[in-house]
Amino acid sequence: MADNSILVSTAGKSLLADTSIFDSKVSEISKENEFIGSAEEEMPQIETRVILVQEAGKQEELIRALKTIKIMEVPVIKIKESCSGKTGEKLIKSIINMEIKVPYLMIESMEEFEDSDSAEFENIFVVMDFQDAIFNNLYKADCRVLGPPIVLNCAQKGEPLPFSCRPLYCASMLNLVLCFTGFRKKEELVKLVTLAHHMGGTIRKDFNSKVTHLVANCTQGEKFRVAVSLGTPIMKPEWIFKAWERRNEQDFCAAADEFGNEFKVPPFQDCMLSFLGFSDEERANMEEMTEMQGGHCLPVGDEQCTHLIVEENAIKELPFEPSKKLYVVKQEWFWGSIQMDARAGESMYLYEKANTPELKKSVSLLSLSTPNSNRKRRRLKETLAQLARETDISPFPPRKRPSAEHSLSIGSLLDISNTPESSSNYGETPKSCTKPSKNSTPVPPKQSARWQVAKELYQTESNYVDILATIIQLFQIPLEEEGQRGGPILAPEEIKAIFGSIPDIFDVHTKIKEDLEDLIINWDESKSIGDIFLKYSKDLVKIYPPFVNFFEMSKETIVKCEKQKPRFHAFLKINQAKPECGRQSLAELLIRPVQRLPSVALLLNDLKKHTSDDNPDKNTLERAIGSLKEVMTHINEDKRKTEAQKQIFDVVYEVDGCPANLLSSHRSLVQRVETISLGEYPCDRGEQVTLFLFNDCLEIARKRHKVIGTFKSPHGHTRPPAALKHIHLMPLSQIKKVLDIKETEDCHNAFALLVRPPTEQANVLLSFQMTSEDLPKDTWLKMLCRHVANTICKADAENLIYTADPESFEVNTKDMDSTLSRASRAIKKTSKRGIPSPSLVSLPAFFEKRSHTLSRSTTHLI
């Protein structure tokens, strides 16, 4: 049959064969350029119009936006007549862009607009309220309705007015595909679907891979399980309602993490948990985590309990017979749910009783009480002996050797006890770990003391490499993996702060282990062990200082993330319980690199003692020990510099407006002193002032009167707000005199600085009272004078200190110029008379209330 079809334009959803594909702006629909003239098939003449209804016509911002929009999207349908006498099938063929010749029209009611359903016009109605009567009338008439936010958004981005088969208020859920589960009330579901459509969202009845969010009213069902397995965000219904409340905000996106995370369904929603077999501390921690993750805790045996979490290592038999509705699961289900940020499936984590028939059968097979028990005992004995011989050079911890006196002044930090087993079959194995070990080690007929120490060196190195492999494979690689369920557990910078140069350390020590292994297998007393460590000495200098110096920061990052991020806490709990970790925490494993070099140095020193003087390796071992000492000295020096720089950074973060030039490689923080200002300078009398003494300058900061918010870095980290406000960064060379004010009943711990700023013609007097009792005033003033003297290259630091009497000098305090000049003359006069230091001079009465009519030359400090 011939295809007798014509093309017309439509705005009504009734003309769509399947309107679900037009829930939002769909990318599959082809869009042609602006329609001018005739296309492949002849198009009818259509006039495009935008109509502002009632209050929308009074919005000046909306009117200005419409004047900038010249294009709108227009759907084109194809009417296909299948047979005579039947209504033709109407299908969308494409969406084209058409010019808007008239920017807008304004109406107060639908009665004023009689041709709203005319096929000659493509009308878009802009309505302020999507719940009033006029909107309902437009919706029932299948008119295209837009909200003001979508119009403003198009004007801002220079896009045409979009086509949507349903009313579209804003673009908050544009490109989001939603699916719903667990809703029993049809009215509630209809309301949620309608709001999602108004915000540009697409709705799917069945869950598939294209669904971006599952809106769940429960934590059960097939859709929920599939969403968990795919890592699809599972949201509460409140997510849609809260997004609708923010519908008028420009650039608001409902899928943004900072908004959506608040409305994710917590892992233990609708769950009642009980805990069995845990210590009081562990149970309290798990109960707290349960409440944080949306669940509730009940006593063991409560009928309302939905899940019983069992410590499988402590509980061999349940104290009661669980009901069929109760899930009895291992603790791995609990921590796994938190790590995934969704309730895990219980079937994989069900607790099995210790006395199950399967276990009893396996135990009976191992029983030795049979007629052939003697033969089995003999076979078992032979097997154990064989295992003992094979593990002579195994990665498992050997028997500790007696400690000996060593010439190195380094504590014994041998890492051969409580060593976790080698991790395997987890994640991607590092390339340097793929080479199998040679376990067919020939044992010399008579094992020398040198061979014994060399074997121990290899054993500890093998253990150390296994520990590093465990850290990388069990912790670092999973944290760095993309596509984690529930999103990344840690930010990349947090992972870097925790693990640092661990992969580099692993690569170098894997090579050292391989070289030692070859040496042990092909053992000869003349073999040089010192050459192995000299070969990698430069690599050790590169890789160890960055890790060791920032190890404390690594531990702090672990503690902070574990407290702030429940998923990371659960991740650690899951992995630290695995046998590869040997029941050690991540922080305990990470301390091994800190301990390793001193341990190697002790073993090399012990090896040197058992090496004869005529052995060439004697001198080589001395050089190897010396190279390790240099590495450790380099580490200590770098650590000192790192800590000094960290202290300066802490000052910069704590002081708002702190000059950037405070950061300098040659500068270090000497002392921090808390004081109160006694004069009008450097700030108002009575204000709390903090003095930061550096080796070449003095940072003066006051306590902030109002603290505003918190600082958030580009990576999302938050810091406490700066508690201090910068006043002045003063070079120590500007301090001319340090005045030690005598102690009186009314004056305690007071001192003053006589300063000559380069921009001033006269001296400026700064007076303070120390508030901290930890630092004696004498110690502080001597410390200050010593660094001032170092800065100006003077040896007599104590000559800078002068003792002042606040009560014996009477002066008219209304004239600050006279006060300062007389004080300065008094100091010079006593100095000329040769009065020994500390000299007694009279100090201006700066404790009295000063007048505000001060000379300009002395009021300006900076």
Side-chain angles (χ1 to χ4, degrees), residues 34-313:
E34 181 178 349
F35 177 71
I36 302 176
S38 60
E40 182 181 353
E41 300 184 53
E42 185 178 359
M43 294 289 301
Q45 294 297 323
I46 299 174
E47 183 177 345
T48 57
R49 296 186 300 191
V50 178
I51 300 99
L52 302 179
V53 181
Q54 293 181 343
E55 293 298 321
K58 302 176 184 179
Q59 305 296 317
E60 296 183 1
E61 184 181 9
L62 187 59
I63 293 173
R64 287 195 301 269
L66 283 172
K67 291 179 179 179
T68 64
I69 300 176
K70 305 298 181 182
I71 305 295
M72 73 163 59
E73 294 179 355
V74 177
V76 177
I77 67 167
K78 181 176 182 180
I79 302 179
K80 185 175 181 180
E81 297 181 358
S82 55
C83 58
S84 58
K86 293 185 178 181
T87 304
E89 185 179 1
K90 304 174 182 180
L91 302 173
I92 290 285
K93 181 180 181 182
S94 64
I95 293 178
I96 63 173
N97 292 336
M98 297 190 68
E99 182 182 0
I100 304 175
K101 296 182 179 180
V102 180
Y104 61 90
L105 300 175
M106 292 188 291
I107 63 172
E108 288 296 328
S109 63
M110 290 302 298
E111 288 76 11
E112 302 177 19
F113 203 72
E114 299 177 355
D115 53 354
S116 61
D117 56 349
S118 173
E120 299 179 0
F121 298 97
E122 177 67 17
N123 300 317
I124 293 181
F125 295 87
V126 182
V127 180
M128 294 290 295
D129 189 356
F130 269 34
Q131 296 180 349
D132 60 7
I134 195 167
F135 167 79
N136 292 331
N137 293 333
L138 290 171
Y139 179 70
K140 291 176 181 178
D142 292 335
C143 297
R144 286 180 63 179
V145 183
L146 297 180
I150 199 69
V151 176
L152 297 175
N153 185 63
C154 292
Q156 179 183 357
K157 297 182 178 179
E159 298 176 350
L161 293 178
F163 166 75
S164 175
C165 64
R166 293 183 176 89
L168 182 62
Y169 189 87
C170 63
S172 301
M173 289 190 173
L174 195 65
N175 299 324
L176 300 188
V177 182
L178 277 58
C179 187
F180 293 81
T181 185
F183 291 89
R184 303 298 181 189
K185 298 180 180 179
K186 183 178 179 181
E187 299 79 7
E188 182 183 5
L189 181 59
V190 169
K191 186 174 183 179
L192 290 169
V193 169
T194 301
L195 293 180
H197 281 149
H198 289 346
M199 291 183 284
T202 303
I203 310 300
R204 289 288 178 266
K205 180 180 179 181
D206 299 321
F207 191 94
N208 55 43
S209 59
K210 291 185 179 180
V211 173
T212 61
H213 293 78
L214 176 68
V215 182
N217 206 27
C218 68
T219 57
Q220 297 178 349
E222 183 180 355
K223 291 181 180 179
F224 186 89
R225 295 265 66 88
V226 174
V228 171
S229 64
L230 295 178
T232 304
I234 304 174
M235 315 302 292
K236 300 177 183 178
E238 291 83 355
W239 174 58
I240 296 178
F241 291 123
K242 290 295 182 180
W244 179 249
E245 291 178 4
R246 300 180 60 176
R247 61 188 178 277
N248 290 313
E249 297 181 20
Q250 288 295 317
D251 300 324
F252 168 70
C253 178
D257 289 340
E258 56 269 19
F259 173 74
N261 287 341
E262 181 182 352
F263 302 101
K264 284 186 177 180
V265 174
F268 302 136
Q269 180 172 301
D270 304 330
C271 295
M272 304 289 181
L273 308 185
S274 298
F275 301 93
L276 181 63
F278 300 93
S279 65
D280 294 341
E281 183 180 356
E282 288 178 318
R283 187 175 66 254
N285 178 34
M286 297 176 80
E287 289 177 351
E288 181 181 357
M289 296 293 292
T290 300
E291 298 292 337
M292 289 174 57
Q293 301 300 322
H296 300 282
C297 300
L298 294 174
V300 175
D302 194 297
E303 294 181 356
Q304 297 182 353
C305 181
T306 60
H307 293 77
L308 176 62
I309 319 299
V310 178
E311 203 334 334
E312 60 271 21
N313 296 321

Side-chain angles (χ1 to χ4, degrees), residues 557-571:
T557 304
I558 292 174
V559 173
K560 181 193 70 174
C561 292
E562 198 171 0
K563 288 181 178 179
Q564 297 178 354
K565 302 188 176 185
R567 293 181 60 211
F568 180 62
H569 179 72
F571 173 81

Side-chain angles (χ1 to χ4, degrees), residues 557-600:
T557 304
I558 292 174
V559 173
K560 181 193 70 174
C561 292
E562 198 171 0
K563 288 181 178 179
Q564 297 178 354
K565 302 188 176 185
R567 293 181 60 211
F568 180 62
H569 179 72
F571 173 81
L572 294 181
K573 284 288 186 181
I574 292 172
N575 288 294
Q576 289 168 181
K578 294 179 179 178
E580 296 96 316
C581 288
R583 294 187 176 273
Q584 296 182 74
S585 67
L586 177 58
E588 290 171 333
L589 295 175
L590 286 173
I591 201 174
R592 296 308 180 88
V594 179
Q595 301 172 338
R596 184 56 189 165
L597 290 186
S599 173
V600 172

Side-chain angles (χ1 to χ4, degrees), residues 599-657:
S599 173
V600 172
L602 292 174
L603 284 170
L604 291 182
N605 190 72
D606 199 8
L607 190 66
K608 187 185 73 169
K609 287 184 177 182
H610 293 89
T611 303
S612 60
D613 294 339
D614 58 347
N615 192 324
D617 196 28
K618 186 87 170 182
N619 294 331
T620 308
L621 285 171
E622 289 182 358
R623 288 164 48 209
I625 294 170
S627 69
L628 289 180
K629 283 184 178 180
E630 290 178 5
V631 174
M632 290 183 281
T633 302
H634 190 72
I635 289 173
N636 293 334
E637 181 64 21
D638 274 9
K639 187 173 184 179
R640 185 188 64 78
K641 293 179 180 178
T642 301
E643 290 175 351
Q645 291 296 310
K646 184 177 180 296
Q647 288 178 333
I648 298 179
F649 273 106
D650 291 340
V651 173
V652 172
Y653 290 136
E654 187 177 2
V655 180
D656 181 29

